[in-house]
Amino acid sequence: MNTSSIDRYSLKQYTRLMMSFFGCLLVLTLFQYGILYYKGVLDSILSTSLLKAIVHQIGFTALMGIVMVFPFNFWENLRSKYGFNLVFVLLSIVLIIEAMLTAYYCTTLVPLGSDLLGYSYSDMKITIANSGGYIISVYLLIASAILIGLFLILYRITSKFYNRISKMYPFTIVLFSLFVASLFTDGKPINQNKVQYLAVNLYNSSTEDNSYTSTEEYPLVESSNIENVLGDYFELKEEKPNIVFIMVEGLGRDFVGEGAEYGGFTPYLDSLTTKSLYWENFLSNTGRTFGVLPSLLGSLPFGKSGFMELEEYPNKLTLFSVLKNNGYHTSFYQGTNSSFDKVDRFLKSENVDFVLDKSGFGNKYQQQAEDAAGSSWGFPDLELFKKSISLERGENQPRLEVYMTISTHEPFIPPNQDLYEGKVKNILSKEGFDSRVEKVIEKNDNVFATLLYTDNSIKWFMESYKSQPNYDNTIFIITGDHRLIPIPQRNNISRFHVPLIMYSPMLKSTRKMSSVSSHFDVTPSILALLNGSYELKMPKKVAWMGGAIDMQTAFRSTKNIPLMRNKNELKEYISGEKLYTDGDIMQIDENMDISSAFGGGAIESTLERFKSVNHYVTTENKIIPDSLAIFTIQKEKFTDSETVWLNSVYDGKDSDKGYFKARDLAWNKKWDKALLLCRYNLSGAPSHIDTKILMGRVNSWQGNHEKAAEILQECIAINPNYIDSYAALFDVYYWSDKLREGLELIDKVQENSSSANEITDKISRARTIARNAGIKVHQLKKKEPLNTVASVK
């Protein structure tokens, strides 16, 4: 049925629609600037930056107008209002996305760009759930409804003054002119349209040419003769020293040490800087947590989205593998899930002896309070350190211990929050902060309260560690994984600017370094120190991204340091005292401030060469050859037919979905298929405990009770609080007539799990059967050694 041209919507309605769309973008822009002003990030709302933001929103509106006019006309010619309704829906979706991205920016102060490609759905879900701010709960739905309502209201209002606009040049010419004009207006993340920023970054990242043209097969391999710059500062003993790393979430230099912009909230760490080797101008190599382990402990390249995100790990050397090969016991401790950012997979590839994460604490420790969305990252820092200290340590074996704290992360809700926020107010009343800094602290008092809590937790750990075996033969290394995101940053290098503190009872003298080094330099320097005294079993050649730490006390920057802002965003590069950032060349001064610089144009080409090498060595397994590797990667092997079947039922991206699919297969008695899918799921997420429990149950259903018990005992060792492991093991013991083991399991579940009441039927069954058989209760040990509580198998 044809529609008359009178009923058909014309350019008049289309123009009004685009004007209303711009009005909504303007409201979102004002909202962003208002929130940032309220948080103390901006000095004022009305500024040149706001004007640039309005220009960019006009340009984006013009771009959308040019793109949308074709489907509008096409569908309106087919049927009245079809084109109008289509464009209205599409623009509404763009507005909702813009609102979400703006909220994300207001929370993190970092726009969402091509790093979106580097995160799995489950990682993003966990991050958003625990980030609080403006992007959680029902508020987003309410805001979306308000935004669409505003869109409709503005459309009606535009009818009153459209006639004046219609006398201008043809609308398409106006749109095109505005779009072109916006291209010549300098833009930064704060004043750019967030949808356009995301789209451009995704396009640039996906089309980036990282082809490797050199003939050198292993471009990173070089001699292992790193200068031992630390040797003069330590009085090492006959036995190899323990090495303890504390990677503090968000610990930027702006909060620690003399001259810190937001000083006074880490009093213990401040005092420790005066008793240690202390680098005040140190850099993390990534702007998020995903990169700290490979950089700090492995001096490894990034890969496309961070080393731990690589689908297949290339051969590599890390401090874990080298020290384990030299007799060290290696361990890793954190209060959240080790599956996040694929930490568990990285640790497994290095054969780390002991891993403690959220699942291994038991019911004696208190999790971090839930945020407004009902989520908790896991166990706060003091609980992490208390759990660690409670574990037994051997006296006759040197240790490499690595800790990752979590409390100084969104949503910033430390235990005893009121107490610490009161301390923040007390510090504000005594310290002479300038008005801008004081405003930031007042608006973010929970963040600074958490800093005080974490600082106090580290103090407790350092004091308590004195009771551990061979404390006098221990070197402590404390650094930040990156700078706290929610607190305003001075410049593009601030998020990478972290302290490095190296403390030990064996230090002969203290020293403060103002020279620039990075996490890439730590592992080579520690190994050079140890090799200088103990002649370690070291490969003759290595492939470190860094070298010896710069020990110069005066400021200088002599290294080439790549900096990965987010997953998939390698946009900063330091060469000497020049910084390349977002296409600009900046000069770095002694305060780590940056200013425009002349020259240095070769830095961009140096960055491009690094990108090509980075891509080549990580995707082609060309970091080091097999002959230099200590631990070759043990991959689960699947036949071609198994791979085809696995890919047909599961894409390998969401371990929960893989588990549920395997469980359905098991319930349908397709046990071999279920076990195959479990193996595949665990190859990508080795800490997924439900999958391991399912493997135990399926083995028991097949009659392989010993194998089932072994798997389930391992699950309990990894997560002593998780009741499903006990429930499954009670069944295995019952089916295999292991009455004594079932009785002993009662003591264990009641000691370790807060959910024992959920399986009272199984406990009663085990107790009754044992009593009828005349078996007495056997008490279990109250404390287990460190190497049996939770290990990566």
Side-chain angles (χ1 to χ4, degrees):
M1 177 179 178
N2 292 327
T3 305
S4 68
S5 60
I6 297 177
D7 296 328
R8 177 177 171 271
Y9 275 23
S10 66
L11 195 60
K12 173 180 179 179
Q13 286 78 21
Y14 184 74
T15 306
R16 290 171 53 197
L17 201 59
M18 299 310 301
M19 291 166 56
S20 307
F21 177 69
F22 168 71
C24 291
L25 291 177
L26 180 60
V27 170
L28 287 175
T29 299
L30 293 173
F31 168 81
Q32 171 191 284
Y33 276 78
I35 290 296
L36 295 179
Y37 175 74
Y38 171 79
K39 293 177 69 174
V41 178
L42 301 180
D43 295 329
S44 65
I45 298 176
L46 300 177
S47 62
T48 303
S49 179
L50 176 61
L51 293 178
K52 288 183 178 180
I54 294 173
V55 171
H56 278 279
Q57 296 291 26
I58 292 174
F60 182 71
T61 303
L63 175 63
M64 295 300 295
I66 294 170
V67 172
M68 295 288 187
V69 72
F70 299 105
F72 174 83
N73 281 324
F74 177 80
W75 287 103
E76 280 297 324
N77 286 330
L78 288 179
R79 190 161 186 175
S80 177
K81 296 186 181 180
Y82 269 34
F84 178 87
N85 290 335
L86 173 65
V87 172
F88 177 81
V89 170
L90 292 176
L91 292 179
S92 297
I93 293 173
V94 172
L95 284 174
I96 292 173
I97 296 173
E98 177 73 8
M100 294 173 64
L101 295 175
T102 300
Y104 178 88
Y105 181 75
C106 288
T107 302
T108 66
L109 305 183
V110 179
L112 193 61
S114 56
D115 54 313
L116 180 66
L117 296 174
Y119 289 93
S120 66
Y121 170 74
S122 59
D123 281 357
M124 288 190 290
K125 183 170 64 174
I126 293 172
T127 300
I128 292 173
N130 289 283
S131 291
Y134 305 94
I135 53 176
I136 60 172
S137 194
V138 297
Y139 296 113
L140 182 59
L141 295 176
I142 297 173
S144 298
I146 293 174
L147 194 60
I148 302 306
L150 177 64
F151 195 10
L152 290 170
I153 292 171
L154 289 175
Y155 177 75
R156 293 182 179 180
I157 293 175
T158 55
S159 64
K160 298 180 179 180
F161 53 86
Y162 170 77
N163 289 334
R164 297 181 183 178
I165 298 175
S166 64
K167 297 177 182 179
M168 299 169 60
Y169 289 106
F171 185 60
T172 53
I173 298 177
V174 174
L175 288 178
F176 184 75
S177 301
L178 291 172
F179 173 63
V180 172
S182 69
L183 296 178
F184 292 95
T185 303
D186 181 40
K188 297 296 181 184
I190 187 174
N191 49 43
Q192 287 181 312
N193 178 275
K194 303 302 182 287
V195 172
Q196 183 175 341
Y197 181 92
L198 174 61
V200 170
N201 273 268
L202 289 174
Y203 174 79
N204 289 339
S205 177
S206 60
T207 59
E208 191 173 46
D209 181 16
N210 289 321
S211 56
Y212 181 72
T213 58
S214 174
T215 58
E216 192 173 5
E217 186 177 8
Y218 294 96
L220 298 181
V221 171
E222 60 185 6
S223 169
S224 61
N225 294 325
I226 303 295
E227 183 183 359
N228 180 14
V229 295
L230 298 173
D232 291 340
Y233 298 91
F234 289 91
E235 190 68 55
L236 295 179
K237 301 180 183 298
E238 184 177 346
E239 300 297 327
K240 298 185 188 78
N242 304 313
I243 309 293
V244 177
F245 281 86
I246 304 176
M247 304 180 299
V248 184
E249 171 71 39
L251 186 69
R253 168 66 177 88
D254 287 343
F255 311 101
V256 178
E258 182 182 4
E261 184 177 16
Y262 300 96
F265 299 95
T266 57
Y268 175 74
L269 289 178
D270 291 345
S271 67
L272 202 60
T273 63
T274 65
K275 305 170 186 176
S276 310
L277 298 178
Y278 167 52
W279 289 262
E280 64 173 354
N281 290 328
F282 213 72
L283 295 172
S284 63
N285 295 100
T286 56
R288 286 287 197 175
T289 309
F290 71 88
V292 65
L293 262 179
S295 298
L296 186 64
L297 276 297
S299 195
L300 290 165
F302 303 122
K304 179 68 173 177
S305 303
F307 189 91
M308 293 191 297
E309 292 291 334
L310 291 171
E311 187 172 342
E312 293 185 12
Y313 287 151
N315 290 327
K316 62 188 183 301
L317 296 171
T318 72
L319 199 61
F320 283 124
S321 58
V322 174
L323 292 191
K324 183 179 175 69
N325 195 43
N326 282 273
Y328 273 74
H329 180 276
T330 57
S331 54
F332 179 84
Y333 308 80
Q334 68 178 128
T336 189
N337 288 325
S338 59
S339 60
F340 188 76
D341 276 334
K342 298 181 173 58
V343 169
D344 56 351
R345 183 167 160 258
F346 180 80
L347 298 174
K348 182 180 180 182
S349 74
E350 290 301 287
N351 289 301
V352 173
D353 294 310
F354 172 81
V355 175
L356 173 73
D357 74 352
K358 181 180 179 179
S359 65
F361 278 73
N363 61 357
K364 298 178 182 178
Y365 300 89
Q366 186 65 44
Q367 284 199 51
Q368 178 177 290
E370 294 180 347
D371 62 11
S375 298
S376 172
W377 269 116
F379 291 87
D381 298 343
L382 186 57
E383 299 295 283
L384 170 69
F385 292 135
K386 285 182 176 179
K387 175 67 177 180
S388 164
I389 293 298
S390 74
L391 301 173
E392 293 181 355
R393 290 169 170 81
E395 296 186 16
N396 300 320
Q397 184 180 20
R399 305 183 298 274
L400 169 61
E401 299 182 9
V402 181
Y403 294 82
M404 181 73 239
T405 72
I406 64 166
S407 293
T408 39
H409 189 287
E410 295 91 346
F412 302 106
I413 44 177
N416 301 315
Q417 185 168 356
D418 291 341
L419 170 66
Y420 286 105
E421 288 184 356
K423 292 184 177 182
V424 171
K425 292 179 181 178
N426 186 49
I427 293 172
L428 275 173
S429 66
K430 293 181 179 179
E431 300 288 342
F433 298 108
D434 64 45
S435 58
R436 185 190 65 82
V437 171
E438 184 174 346
K439 182 179 179 181
V440 171
I441 296 171
E442 288 175 344
K443 298 298 184 183
N444 298 277
D445 57 344
N446 61 324
V447 176
F448 291 92
T450 312
L451 275 171
L452 285 168
Y453 164 78
T454 292
D455 182 74
N456 191 58
S457 301
I458 295 172
K459 178 181 179 180
W460 183 93
F461 173 74
M462 296 292 285
E463 292 297 322
S464 300
Y465 208 92
K466 292 178 180 179
S467 65
Q468 300 303 297
N470 304 319
Y471 165 77
D472 290 338
N473 193 23
T474 302
I475 298 173
F476 298 90
I477 301 169
I478 303 173
T479 189
D481 58 346
H482 58 82
R483 182 196 183 278
L484 277 169
I485 300 296
I487 304 302
Q489 301 171 23
R490 289 179 291 125
N491 52 54
N492 283 14
I493 206 173
S494 292
R495 70 182 304 172
F496 305 101
H497 189 190
V498 297
L500 181 76
I501 303 170
M502 199 174 292
Y503 172 78
S504 175
M506 295 179 289
L507 269 178
K508 293 191 291 186
S509 62
T510 63
R511 186 180 177 97
K512 184 177 84 168
M513 277 62 65
S514 297
S515 50
V516 178
S517 296
S518 78
H519 282 163
F520 280 157
D521 302 316
V522 174
T523 284
S525 299
I526 292 295
L527 289 176
L529 169 67
L530 298 179
N531 196 44
S533 297
Y534 305 103
E535 296 184 359
L536 300 181
K537 290 186 289 183
M538 282 280 295
K540 294 181 179 180
K541 292 189 176 182
V542 294
W544 308 130
M545 291 295 300
I549 293 181
D550 195 335
M551 301 298 295
Q552 182 72 29
T553 57
F555 171 80
R556 72 175 181 183
S557 179
T558 61
K559 297 175 177 287
N560 290 327
I561 306 174
L563 303 170
M564 187 175 238
R565 186 185 303 176
N566 291 301
K567 291 183 179 181
N568 235 38
E569 289 193 321
L570 184 52
K571 296 185 175 183
E572 275 84 18
Y573 193 90
I574 289 177
S575 181
E577 295 185 6
K578 296 289 196 305
L579 167 70
Y580 175 84
T581 174
D582 280 332
D584 297 325
I585 306 295
M586 312 296 286
Q587 182 76 29
I588 306 171
D589 67 19
E590 65 274 10
N591 298 315
M592 298 301 279
D593 288 323
I594 59 176
S595 57
S596 297
F598 296 100
I603 300 179
E604 184 173 4
S605 59
T606 304
L607 173 58
E608 295 305 316
R609 285 195 298 272
F610 169 76
K611 286 182 179 180
S612 69
V613 171
N614 173 64
H615 181 265
Y616 166 72
V617 298
T618 53
T619 58
E620 301 296 328
N621 191 14
K622 296 298 182 181
I623 297 179
I624 57 173
D626 293 345
S627 60
L628 295 179
I630 294 175
F631 299 125
T632 55
I633 305 302
Q634 301 296 322
K635 290 181 57 179
E636 280 280 4
K637 295 181 179 180
F638 303 98
T639 66
D640 292 342
S641 61
E642 287 175 339
T643 301
V644 170
W645 178 81
L646 287 166
N647 292 338
S648 72
V649 297
Y650 174 51
D651 60 11
K653 294 181 179 179
D654 189 330
S655 55
D656 287 338
K657 290 182 179 179
Y659 160 71
F660 288 126
K661 179 64 179 178
R663 189 184 64 179
D664 291 341
L665 290 168
W667 282 351
N668 291 318
K669 297 186 177 181
K670 297 179 180 180
W671 293 327
D672 289 339
K673 292 287 188 183
L675 288 175
L676 174 60
L677 185 51
C678 284
R679 284 173 49 216
Y680 185 66
N681 205 34
L682 289 172
S683 68
S687 66
H688 199 277
I689 193 168
D690 286 320
T691 302
K692 291 183 179 180
I693 294 172
L694 181 60
M695 286 188 73
R697 285 192 176 279
V698 173
N699 272 280
S700 186
W701 294 337
Q702 290 181 316
N704 192 355
H705 298 305
E706 288 189 8
K707 179 65 174 177
E710 179 185 339
I711 293 172
L712 294 170
Q713 287 165 358
E714 179 185 335
C715 290
I716 291 173
I718 292 172
N719 187 340
N721 186 49
Y722 198 46
I723 197 63
D724 287 6
S725 304
Y726 297 98
L729 190 53
F730 271 121
D731 288 339
V732 172
Y733 287 154
Y734 173 68
W735 294 329
S736 58
D737 294 325
K738 296 289 183 68
L739 308 183
R740 187 180 302 277
E741 287 82 352
L743 189 60
E744 292 177 343
L745 189 59
I746 295 174
D747 289 335
K748 198 162 191 175
V749 67
Q750 291 177 339
E751 178 184 356
N752 292 327
S753 180
S754 57
S755 305
N757 61 310
E758 296 179 11
I759 57 169
T760 52
D761 56 334
K762 298 182 187 296
I763 293 174
S764 298
R765 182 182 66 186
R767 183 177 286 122
T768 299
I769 294 175
R771 186 183 302 116
N772 291 339
I775 299 175
K776 297 180 180 180
V777 175
H778 290 270
Q779 295 295 331
L780 299 180
K781 294 180 180 179
K782 296 297 183 181
K783 187 173 183 180
E784 295 179 288
L786 179 145
N787 62 358
T788 63
V789 178
S791 60
V792 173
K793 300 291 185 184

